[in-house]
Amino acid sequence: MKRRKLLVLITTALAIFILIIGLSSITSTPVVAESNTSLLVSAAASLKDILEEIKPLYQQNKPNVKISYNFGSSGALQQQIEQGAPADIFISAAKKQVDALEQKGLLVAGTRNIIAKNRLVLVVPKNYVGITSFYSLQDAKVKKIALGEPRSVPAGQYAQQVLEKLKIWNQVKSKLVFANNVRQVLASVETGNAEAGLVYVTDAKISNKVKIVVAADEKYHSAIIYPLAVVKRSKNLAAAKEFSQFLSSEQTKTVFKKYGFIMP
């Protein structure tokens, strides 16, 4: 009898212990998952300032979601994703790169969305005189013109389209200095390493070291748009979709407009 009672007591104790452990793991799992949620957004370099400002706005309501950015040229970011580099969201400065990833089945269907538009402008150093139009770039005194590399930098692609449309591409080709992204183009003009450069109006507006000479006529280049999509390899698809939706919300539209972006 004593052995039987002892066996019952031991069995009961073990059952209670297992139940407690089970409940503990069930209740703690969501907390751990939520606190460790992180998103990596690969985005065009021209979005750096605005996305940095948007991040704390989102984290006011989602403090457990850590957002990190990987800024660069849209073409380079596209190649990184194609080669398997981690990314939850991709935001390009042109549709070409997003089209390529979509065709390869690397994006989540139904998540593609245009979050903003932009304008292309010709800029010169703040105190520089003598360049009054795109045609001025042909002048002999203009030695260097900064452009994004057209094959990988959308701003460079748009710039080439404009210069070709104005029939001055061949005349200025020997003066062109190519950069890896649009922010490098801006820096070249700011430091005087180039007498002129073609950047987005939003880039020009954040600098007090350059001035805008003229904006390119939109009919001379492809539409400057910023498509966004969630990357299929994301380990946090729900969080990625939620942040993507936030980037199209009324709250973020106000920030986009402040930086000079145009809403689609």
Side-chain angles (χ1 to χ4, degrees), residues 142-196:
V142 179
K143 305 297 183 184
K144 292 182 179 180
I145 306 165
L147 248 67
E149 167 54 60
R151 290 172 296 182
S152 60
V153 184
Q157 176 191 342
Y158 300 134
Q160 181 175 352
Q161 290 174 355
V162 170
L163 297 176
E164 287 180 339
K165 197 73 175 180
L166 295 173
K167 301 187 186 306
I168 60 173
W169 172 260
N170 290 330
Q171 287 85 339
V172 302
K173 196 172 181 179
S174 62
K175 305 178 182 184
L176 300 180
V177 179
F178 296 113
N180 292 328
N181 61 65
V182 72
R183 289 300 171 88
Q184 288 185 10
V185 176
L186 180 66
S188 294
V189 181
E190 286 179 326
T191 56
N193 288 329
E195 291 94 341

Side-chain angles (χ1 to χ4, degrees), residues 17-264:
F17 177 75
I18 292 170
L19 181 61
I20 291 171
I21 294 297
L23 289 173
S24 175
S25 64
I26 291 170
T27 55
S28 63
T29 300
V31 177
V32 173
E34 186 178 2
S35 63
N36 289 337
T37 300
S38 61
L39 294 175
L40 178 59
V41 182
S42 288
S46 52
L47 293 170
K48 185 178 188 302
D49 297 87
I50 185 169
L51 288 181
E52 292 289 6
E53 183 167 330
I54 285 174
K55 178 162 66 173
L57 295 178
Y58 184 73
Q59 292 180 323
Q60 286 176 4
N61 295 323
K62 297 288 181 178
N64 293 318
V65 178
K66 179 185 177 183
I67 298 172
S68 301
Y69 295 121
N70 174 29
F71 295 108
S73 71
S74 299
L77 297 175
Q78 171 204 335
Q79 289 182 353
Q80 289 174 15
I81 294 172
E82 287 176 341
Q83 293 166 6
D88 296 288
I89 297 170
F90 177 47
I91 312 176
S92 174
K95 69 186 293 291
K96 174 184 175 182
Q97 290 75 22
V98 180
D99 285 345
L101 293 180
E102 189 171 51
Q103 288 167 6
K104 293 182 178 181
L106 297 176
L107 304 177
V108 178
T111 61
R112 185 168 174 169
N113 184 34
I114 297 173
I115 60 173
K117 296 182 178 181
N118 216 331
R119 293 291 305 274
L120 189 72
V121 295
L122 175 65
V123 295
V124 297
K126 189 84 171 184
N127 299 317
Y128 190 87
V129 294
I131 296 179
T132 58
S133 71
F134 282 105
Y135 294 106
S136 299
L137 299 177
Q138 301 173 94
D139 294 349
K141 66 179 180 179
V142 179
K143 305 297 183 184
K144 292 182 179 180
I145 306 165
L147 248 67
E149 167 54 60
R151 290 172 296 182
S152 60
V153 184
Q157 176 191 342
Y158 300 134
Q160 181 175 352
Q161 290 174 355
V162 170
L163 297 176
E164 287 180 339
K165 197 73 175 180
L166 295 173
K167 301 187 186 306
I168 60 173
W169 172 260
N170 290 330
Q171 287 85 339
V172 302
K173 196 172 181 179
S174 62
K175 305 178 182 184
L176 300 180
V177 179
F178 296 113
N180 292 328
N181 61 65
V182 72
R183 289 300 171 88
Q184 288 185 10
V185 176
L186 180 66
S188 294
V189 181
E190 286 179 326
T191 56
N193 288 329
E195 291 94 341
L198 278 87
V199 299
Y200 299 122
V201 66
T202 51
D203 298 305
K205 284 188 173 185
I206 65 169
S207 175
N208 58 5
K209 297 178 181 179
V210 304
K211 62 182 178 182
I212 297 174
V213 174
V214 63
D217 193 319
E218 290 181 281
K219 69 184 178 183
Y220 291 159
H221 59 75
S222 304
I224 302 176
I225 59 173
Y226 289 82
L228 168 155
V230 174
V231 180
K232 190 174 286 186
R233 282 194 304 270
S234 170
K235 295 179 181 179
N236 297 295
L237 286 176
K241 289 178 180 179
E242 191 170 357
F243 184 58
S244 297
Q245 291 170 358
F246 179 76
L247 291 175
S248 298
S249 67
E250 291 301 320
Q251 186 176 3
T252 57
K253 284 180 181 179
T254 303
V255 185
F256 272 102
K257 289 177 181 177
K258 185 181 82 171
Y259 278 87
F261 287 91
I262 303 163
M263 291 298 93

